[in-house]
Amino acid sequence: MENKQLQKNLGVAAALSTVVGMVIGGGVFFKPQAVFTLTGGEPGLGMIAWILAGILTITAGLTAAEVSAAIPKTGGMMVYIEEIYGKKLGFLTGWMQSVLFFPATIAAISVMFGQQSAYLIGTNSQTFIIAMTVGVILLIGVLNTFGSKTSGTIQTVSTICKLIPLVLLIVFGFLKGDTSSPVMQPLVGEGVQVSTVIGQLLVAILFAYDGWINVGAIAGEMKNPGKDLPKAIIGGLSVVMAVYVIINIAYLLVLPASELALHASPASAVAEKLFGPIGGKIITVGILISVFGCINGYLLTGPRIVYTLGKEKNIPAVFGQLNKNDVPANATLLMAVLAALYALSGQFNLLSDLSMFAVWSFYVLTFAGVIKLRKTHPNMNRPYKVPLYPIIPLIAIAGGLYVVIDQLMKNTLISLGGVLITLIGLPVYSYMNKKYSNSKDDIDRAA
């Protein structure tokens, strides 16, 4: 269904809360470990990086929203890039999302689910962690074949549970923490250079901000998108940034950055310090439910990309079919299996960095697409236009390019792996196109 057929009943407040709900996920509970490891166990640059990543996300959201409002079709970034650059690049976007971004993201979050589960019952067993990691992916994959009502219920419950540990950690962190603890100084530890780690910090933190690409999708349901959408994006993402900065301050008031860097789940370590072993485990249950909902959200939305590719016969048509519950079960199970395979690595930060490198490469194309469309289609209907054009899009492009190039230089092997997996899509596209064309010719001749 296209956005123009949707009811225009969203005001600024509803749109703003939608933005906040889409973006805040599990990353805020786990990423401080990677952040403060990169800074050498000191807080300053880590806190600055949370703010910089938030500003980059706001410019990205403001820019991409113009494309999504101007191209009100379902399918998200894959459709935008196809409309701007052509079918082949559109397919490559969908391929990257299907085989890399969504599975790697699901795997990364599931690894944390496995590790949190182990912490909850007090075991270090790798067998248990792997079983829980893979098990939760396959369980949610199966649940998502039952219909959208099941998925929606999981999302509603997990969203509420997501807010409980966030609020408790912030409130009690400030009440019971040491307010004299350093939060902004020193910038980095001995031997760490700011210029060397800032790009990697942004890649790590952008994982927690991901989800903003979907904010433009609500344009078709807003009463006045031209006026209200930028308010919702700036307001919503500013709220997210404020929450992330405040909760990291709360963490630092309870535990120093050097100690947060030692814990795979800093939030659980802080909760245990604040509330004792039992209270810490109760907070961990809340985090687990939140993470469960995060995995569900990605396994709800990601397979729709696979389904679209299958329906268009860009990949085997079996993945473009709906089951009796009117959900793309084959596509969902394929993504669950891919995610489970990625998850066997057990590497949360590696998987999340891989997914961010891959997706931000295509985000940059989306930002550039705003400028391209302004030139090639100046009279195109644009319910919303990015403010301060072309400054905001150029900031988004520059920031995105910096993140992608820095990751390519610093984590070359991982990044090249992502490039290779993405480029495998080209021969797949050629083969499926040729196969579909031949089949169509045979049918025409038979007729």
Side-chain angles (χ1 to χ4, degrees):
M1 182 182 292
E2 296 190 0
N3 285 351
K4 63 183 180 182
Q5 296 173 300
L6 299 170
Q7 291 184 4
K8 294 180 177 291
N9 53 16
L10 282 185
V12 175
L16 190 146
S17 62
T18 303
V19 171
V20 173
M22 281 193 284
V23 176
I24 293 180
V28 68
F29 298 121
F30 310 117
K31 273 299 174 183
Q33 188 249 357
V35 170
F36 295 123
T37 297
L38 284 166
T39 64
E42 299 296 355
L45 188 62
M47 294 304 301
I48 291 169
W50 280 100
I51 297 167
L52 287 176
I55 293 168
L56 176 55
T57 301
I58 289 170
T59 64
L62 287 170
T63 304
E66 177 170 314
V67 181
S68 54
I71 307 172
K73 297 180 181 178
T74 54
M77 185 166 61
M78 177 175 69
V79 171
Y80 312 150
I81 288 182
E82 181 179 320
E83 290 277 332
I84 299 166
Y85 301 104
K87 283 187 175 295
K88 187 178 284 188
L89 205 50
F91 166 78
L92 213 56
T93 307
W95 173 265
M96 175 278 300
Q97 291 175 302
S98 299
V99 301
L100 193 54
F101 170 69
F102 278 106
T105 302
I106 293 162
I109 302 168
S110 301
V111 166
M112 294 316 302
F113 185 92
Q115 292 180 358
Q116 287 286 100
S117 301
Y119 164 77
L120 192 65
I121 67 167
T123 179
N124 291 318
S125 168
Q126 287 302 306
T127 304
F128 175 83
I129 292 171
I130 291 170
M132 289 300 294
T133 300
V134 173
V136 74
I137 295 170
L138 298 179
L139 171 63
I140 295 173
V142 171
L143 287 175
N144 270 282
T145 67
F146 293 158
S148 55
K149 190 174 181 181
T150 305
S151 307
T153 303
I154 293 170
Q155 282 307 104
T156 303
V157 172
S158 67
T159 299
I160 295 166
C161 291
K162 171 170 62 181
L163 298 175
I164 294 169
L166 271 174
V167 171
L168 289 175
L169 288 168
I170 288 171
V171 171
F172 285 92
F174 277 87
L175 286 176
K176 297 177 73 173
D178 181 2
T179 52
S180 64
S181 298
V183 172
M184 297 301 294
Q185 290 291 337
L187 276 182
V188 290
E190 193 175 335
V192 178
Q193 290 186 324
V194 172
S195 59
T196 305
V197 299
I198 187 66
Q200 290 169 281
L201 280 169
L202 289 175
V203 169
I205 292 169
L206 285 170
F207 181 79
Y209 280 103
D210 203 57
W212 59 266
I213 189 69
N214 302 309
V215 299
I218 62 177
E221 296 170 81
M222 295 187 71
K223 297 171 188 173
N224 189 349
K227 182 182 174 184
D228 293 345
L229 188 57
K231 292 179 184 176
I233 292 170
I234 294 170
L237 292 176
S238 296
V239 168
V240 172
M241 180 166 65
V243 169
Y244 286 176
V245 170
I246 290 167
I247 196 168
N248 272 276
I249 293 172
Y251 291 158
L252 289 166
L253 295 183
V254 178
L255 293 174
S258 56
E259 196 168 334
L260 291 171
L262 301 175
H263 294 278
S265 176
S268 295
V270 169
E272 189 167 330
K273 181 86 172 177
L274 285 172
F275 307 112
I278 302 298
K281 289 188 186 298
I282 292 170
I283 294 293
T284 299
V285 170
I287 294 171
L288 275 170
I289 297 170
S290 169
V291 172
F292 192 93
C294 254
I295 301 166
N296 181 72
Y298 281 105
L299 267 172
L300 175 64
T301 53
R304 269 63 185 174
I305 306 291
V306 181
Y307 167 73
T308 302
L309 293 177
K311 196 175 178 184
E312 293 175 353
K313 296 185 172 62
N314 286 319
I315 60 173
V318 68
F319 299 113
Q321 297 172 355
L322 300 176
N323 68 0
K324 63 182 180 181
N325 298 317
D326 292 326
V327 294
N330 294 337
T332 302
L333 294 175
L334 173 67
M335 186 160 284
V337 169
L338 283 173
L341 291 172
Y342 279 117
L344 291 175
S345 69
Q347 300 295 313
F348 169 67
N349 289 314
L350 183 148
L351 289 164
S352 58
D353 287 357
L354 176 63
S355 70
M356 284 300 97
F357 169 79
V359 81
W360 268 85
S361 303
F362 286 84
Y363 286 163
V364 171
L365 285 175
T366 307
F367 307 149
V370 172
I371 296 172
K372 187 174 187 294
L373 281 178
R374 287 277 187 114
K375 290 180 178 178
T376 58
H377 294 76
N379 299 319
M380 189 178 198
N381 178 39
R382 291 175 172 85
Y384 155 82
K385 289 185 177 182
V386 58
L388 300 176
Y389 179 88
I391 296 169
I392 297 291
L394 289 173
I395 293 171
I397 291 167
L401 280 174
Y402 178 78
V403 165
V404 170
I405 293 167
D406 185 83
Q407 183 75 347
L408 191 57
M409 292 172 67
K410 302 284 173 54
N411 287 325
T412 307
L413 204 59
I414 297 169
S415 302
L416 288 177
V419 171
L420 182 63
I421 293 168
T422 302
L423 291 179
I424 288 170
L426 290 176
V428 172
Y429 178 80
S430 298
Y431 172 76
M432 292 303 296
N433 249 17
K434 189 176 179 183
K435 183 181 176 184
Y436 180 59
S437 297
N438 289 340
S439 301
K440 196 174 177 184
D441 289 342
D442 290 343
I443 291 167
D444 290 342
R445 277 194 294 270

